[in-house]
Amino acid sequence: MKQIFNIIFSTQFFYSILRISTPIMFASMGALITSRAGVINIGLEGIMLFAALSGVIFSAASGSAWVGFLGAVVTGVLIAILMSYVALVLKSHITLTGIAINMFASGCTVFILYLVTGDKGISSSLASKVMPSVELPLINKIPIIGEIFSGHNILTYLSFLGVLFTYILLNKTVVGLRIRAVGENEQAALSVGAKPVKYQFIAMLISGVLAGMGGAYMSMGYVSWFSRDMVAGRGFIALAAQQLGQGTTLGTMSATLVFGTADALANNLQALQMPSEFVQSIPYVTTIVGLVVFSIAKQRKELKRIRENNSKTA
Amino acid sequence: MNSKTIEKRFDVIRTILAVIIALLIALVVIIIVSDDPMNALYNFLIGPITNARRFANVIELSIPLMFCGLAVSIMFAADQSNMASEGAFYVSCAVTSVIAVLWELPAFLHVIVCLAAGTITGIIIMCIPAVLKAKWQANELVSSLMLNYICLYMGNYIIRTRVLDTSLGITTSLVFKETASLPNLIPGTRLHLGLVFVILAVILCYIMMYHTGLGYAIRTIGQNKNFAKYAGMGVGGVVLLTQVMGGALAGFGGATEMIGMYNRFQYQGLPQYGFDGMLIAIMAKYNPALVPVAAIFLAYIRTGADIMNRTSDVPYEIISVIQSAIIMLVVAKMFLNNLKHKQIVKYSKMQMEKKEAS
């Protein structure tokens, strides 16, 4: 027990929460924007996987991490376009399209990896680059705070800028208003001239950019290689985080940090005498528990509201 | 003929065309990446029928695919996006393996116990997302996808702690007892009694779906839940029952696969039969009678891709391109929609002219 407390109350632990939350943060912001437009983007998982691979390939080919990053983002957008085209223009079932995209990503990335490196598991033979880490000036001089918040990969900071961007986009811009209107009520939005498909497409593109950055972080920050199925359900965890966040930016960010904490805890518990399979399951168990807790809270709230209404009428 | 049969006929045409387009995409990819595309294509397309053993492989592979395809068909027909077939199949394989290795039972009884244990495991796993949804409205898609990861680790844990064979470098279980094995149907192949089981399952599921009140309720709920509710159908119970049946099919399929095909547990990760089951269910339009057709097709291209993988420079994973293209095109409502509308309009005009003439 004491050992666990020592781990939790260390600065490295809080540092690792931010590090681990980064890819989920990007994806959950993408999930949030699309869900506000009334679309469930199950394909986030696949988009991240494709982006992670192209980050490695482009950075190895060009010798520049930034080119790799750009390649990852462009790939993310392209996959998002493919998915939106099939789902929104050809009018197919959005969930099934998303699952198809994930299947496609899972196999096709291995296919491409094999063609490029001759290996089906890992890209270690490619000299891919890693995005730089940033020491925050002034903040890194503060004890404890500096150790937690400074020295992260640049994409970790970018993920929090992504949260800010999402907040501003959804709450302060015309596009955001339209996106929300389309998600709230397609017919009403259409009647005032906001084409649902257009704004859903825009939301999908933005989520492609965000998930692309998340994928880039996976292979060029979190670790420095690509391995098969390395995204490991983070896209789905992001979807759960968005549901837990009840459609708000701050709520989604908080839920993501909760999942990140569970993940960080799992990583640290590996040092203890726990079966590794249990430890590896923790992020997924937390997600399911989170979903249930959220649903119970929502039900209670509704019950309370009904009771209040009843007492008012009585 | 009426506009409904035109719709139905277009469903079939669309599925076939989707398959053809997907295969064409794969062919183009093979031609681009391979140094010897003719050899690769030959092995991919003709490989599985060049000898009896390879064709037997296709049928062997189609058995677990049919079980999972049936499981997903029943659940999707009731509009339940429960994807836990993958996890249910895997854990049921692990549980079956433990019983097959450790328990001492007479031959016939051992097989029965293995199959029963696998089935029950499958039901338990599949019901987790179902119950979470019924009780707390937790999204079954997300929870079942998460559950699959948990199942992977759960299965590995069961194998590692109970029946791990440490003599080999990779994770495998100890060898099953002789008594825990399904009889072989044709000597020289691995075709086992599971084939008979799965054919029975297809027939039973078809009768259930199209000739019983339960099947009618499932299909009605899938099309319009509120209508079903107002018509007085017990929606909650039927929905749960579809997932119990789905779990039973996936679990039974897992157990059959284990003791029919193998003599030890040797999966190194999720075998993806659950996701393949989804593809099969979509291609079969959730109709159990069409599940074998879709499953054999998928087994054929998978076997072909495997042969190509071994005999040429094109990796097996080309299969994912075909699979995802088929799903996207089959479920796309607008694909061939114009053509369908034209047909319906043309037909209606003809009807009108007939009326006027008479």
Side-chain angles (χ1 to χ4, degrees):
Chain A
M1 234 18 224
K2 197 166 166 261
Q3 214 177 342
I4 297 176
F5 276 114
N6 281 344
I7 290 169
I8 293 176
F9 292 109
S10 67
T11 49
Q12 290 102 310
F13 180 68
F14 285 96
Y15 179 90
S16 70
I17 291 177
L18 294 181
R19 193 176 86 86
I20 289 167
S21 300
T22 303
I24 310 175
M25 192 67 84
F26 278 121
S28 61
M29 288 304 134
L32 174 62
I33 294 172
T34 50
S35 94
R36 293 308 296 262
V39 181
I40 307 178
N41 189 355
I42 303 277
L44 283 169
E45 180 85 10
I47 296 176
M48 284 169 89
L49 200 56
F50 262 117
L53 177 65
S54 66
V56 164
I57 291 177
F58 281 103
S59 73
S62 67
S64 153
W66 286 98
V67 173
F69 177 69
L70 197 69
V73 172
V74 170
T75 308
V77 172
L78 288 178
I79 304 291
I81 289 177
L82 172 67
M83 186 177 160
S84 321
Y85 179 77
V86 174
L88 302 173
V89 180
L90 294 179
K91 299 265 182 259
S92 69
H93 195 300
I94 183 81
T95 315
L96 297 179
T97 313
I99 293 175
I101 289 282
N102 294 338
M103 256 180 166
F104 179 52
S106 177
C108 197
T109 48
V110 175
F111 188 81
I112 296 171
L113 183 67
Y114 178 77
L115 293 180
V116 175
T117 66
D119 190 302
K120 280 191 180 182
I122 194 163
S123 73
S124 40
S125 63
L126 289 178
S128 62
K129 298 280 181 271
V130 175
M131 294 296 282
S133 294
V134 179
E135 289 289 331
L136 295 179
L138 294 177
I139 292 178
N140 66 358
K141 297 282 187 302
I142 310 169
I144 300 176
I145 303 258
E147 280 171 50
I148 295 172
F149 290 101
S150 182
H152 282 283
N153 190 287
I154 189 163
L155 293 182
T156 301
Y157 300 112
L158 196 61
S159 75
F160 283 90
L161 285 180
V163 175
L164 189 67
F165 164 79
T166 308
Y167 181 81
I168 294 172
L169 174 81
L170 286 176
N171 299 301
K172 309 281 179 204
T173 65
V174 180
V175 176
L177 179 70
R178 296 259 163 87
I179 286 178
R180 284 186 292 143
V182 164
E184 211 57 63
N185 189 332
E186 274 197 24
Q187 301 303 325
L190 196 59
S191 70
V192 294
K195 284 196 191 108
V197 170
K198 180 179 161 193
Y199 287 96
Q200 287 172 340
F201 219 113
I202 292 173
M204 285 291 293
L205 290 190
I206 298 171
S207 87
V209 172
L210 287 165
M213 291 179 183
Y217 176 78
M218 284 309 296
S219 63
M220 303 168 65
Y222 192 70
V223 293
S224 58
W225 59 80
F226 174 89
S227 61
R228 72 185 299 163
D229 291 322
M230 73 183 308
V231 177
R234 287 180 175 82
F236 304 136
I237 294 180
L239 286 174
Q242 173 268 318
Q243 288 198 338
L244 248 67
Q246 312 199 8
T248 67
T249 315
L250 278 179
T252 306
M253 183 183 85
S254 318
T256 306
L257 287 173
V258 169
F259 290 152
T261 310
D263 220 346
L265 206 57
N267 279 357
N268 279 305
L269 288 180
Q270 235 145 16
L272 301 176
Q273 299 290 320
M274 284 260 279
S276 67
E277 289 91 353
F278 284 15
V279 172
Q280 284 166 311
S281 307
I282 288 179
Y284 311 109
V285 175
T286 321
T287 311
I288 293 183
V289 172
L291 270 181
V292 171
V293 169
F294 156 71
S295 306
I296 293 175
K298 201 169 132 191
Q299 271 182 349
R300 285 242 172 103
K301 223 159 126 190
E302 262 162 37
L303 268 180
K304 204 174 148 197
R305 211 183 57 208
I306 292 167
R307 258 189 231 126
E308 274 170 8
N309 282 350
N310 284 351
S311 60
K312 260 181 218 161
T313 48
Chain B
M1 198 172 83
N2 56 30
S3 63
K4 210 172 177 184
T5 48
I6 295 183
E7 293 246 5
K8 264 203 178 146
R9 197 201 291 162
F10 259 90
D11 264 355
V12 176
I13 295 175
R14 207 163 59 178
T15 309
I16 293 172
L17 210 64
V19 168
I20 293 173
I21 292 175
L23 285 175
L24 283 178
I25 296 173
L27 300 192
V28 171
V29 174
I30 291 172
I31 290 169
I32 293 171
V33 304
S34 178
D35 292 331
D36 184 5
M38 284 327 287
N39 174 44
L41 281 178
Y42 174 81
N43 281 307
F44 176 46
L45 294 175
I46 316 291
I49 43 172
T50 46
N51 64 45
R53 193 177 46 82
R54 282 178 174 174
F55 191 70
N57 285 343
V58 173
I59 305 297
E60 287 154 15
L61 179 57
S62 72
I63 296 172
L65 293 179
M66 278 190 251
F67 275 118
C68 288
L70 288 174
V72 179
S73 292
I74 293 175
M75 294 187 292
F76 274 34
D79 199 23
Q80 300 302 305
S81 322
N82 189 337
M83 301 297 300
S85 319
E86 188 68 52
F89 188 94
Y90 192 73
V91 178
S92 139
C93 284
V95 170
T96 309
S97 304
V98 171
I99 294 175
V101 171
L102 296 180
W103 290 24
E104 302 263 5
L105 289 167
F108 181 66
L109 197 63
H110 205 168
V111 168
I112 301 277
V113 171
C114 282
L115 294 179
T119 310
I120 293 166
T121 311
I123 293 174
I124 293 171
I125 300 281
M126 198 73 92
C127 279
I128 295 173
V131 169
L132 293 184
K133 187 185 186 188
K135 226 166 150 51
W136 297 298
Q137 277 102 48
N139 185 323
E140 83 276 20
L141 182 70
V142 175
S143 67
S144 62
L145 288 169
M146 291 288 103
L147 187 63
N148 286 339
Y149 288 97
I150 300 171
C151 285
L152 168 66
Y153 295 121
M154 206 192 311
N156 290 349
Y157 178 74
I158 294 171
I159 295 297
R160 187 174 65 84
T161 55
R162 303 277 156 170
V163 288
L164 186 69
D165 185 349
T166 45
S167 67
L168 298 159
I170 46 171
T171 327
T172 55
S173 77
L174 296 162
V175 177
F176 298 164
K177 294 258 156 52
E178 293 276 312
T179 46
S181 166
L182 285 177
N184 203 300
L185 292 181
I186 302 171
T189 70
R190 288 191 295 175
L191 275 180
H192 52 86
L193 195 62
L195 183 63
V196 178
F197 292 156
V198 83
I199 292 171
L200 283 177
V202 167
I203 295 169
L204 285 177
C205 287
Y206 176 75
I207 293 173
M208 189 276 292
M209 283 289 266
Y210 291 96
H211 296 282
T212 66
L214 176 63
Y216 180 71
I218 291 174
R219 286 180 291 132
T220 312
I221 290 168
Q223 271 154 20
N224 191 338
K225 203 172 166 183
N226 288 328
F227 173 77
K229 218 178 255 172
Y230 296 129
M233 292 172 181
V235 173
V238 173
V239 159
L240 189 63
L241 195 57
T242 59
Q243 286 161 96
V244 170
M245 288 189 282
L249 284 163
F252 188 85
T256 311
E257 181 73 357
M258 267 302 106
I259 59 174
M261 287 281 282
Y262 305 105
N263 62 354
R264 56 167 23 133
F265 181 95
Q266 50 194 8
Y267 289 133
Q268 302 296 319
L270 294 173
Q272 304 292 331
Y273 292 140
F275 285 106
D276 288 347
M278 187 198 76
L279 170 65
I280 290 164
I282 290 171
M283 283 171 72
K285 301 273 168 210
Y286 314 151
N287 180 350
L290 294 177
V291 163
V293 181
I296 288 173
F297 164 75
L298 188 58
Y300 188 93
I301 59 166
R302 278 198 162 235
T303 309
D306 189 42
I307 296 168
M308 178 173 68
N309 188 42
R310 279 183 279 119
T311 53
S312 77
D313 52 351
V314 183
Y316 177 77
E317 281 72 15
I318 182 90
I319 216 81
S320 73
V321 177
I322 303 174
Q323 286 181 319
S324 48
I326 291 176
I327 297 180
M328 287 190 223
L329 291 174
V330 170
V331 295
K333 281 197 199 106
M334 301 308 284
F335 177 53
L336 289 188
N337 206 33
N338 280 340
L339 210 61
K340 186 173 86 183
H341 272 204
K342 271 184 202 153
Q343 285 275 326
I344 292 176
V345 168
K346 199 172 124 197
Y347 167 75
S348 309
K349 270 187 186 158
M350 248 164 54
Q351 290 289 53
M352 297 251 283
E353 277 164 16
K354 253 191 215 163
K355 244 184 198 169
E356 276 167 19
S358 66

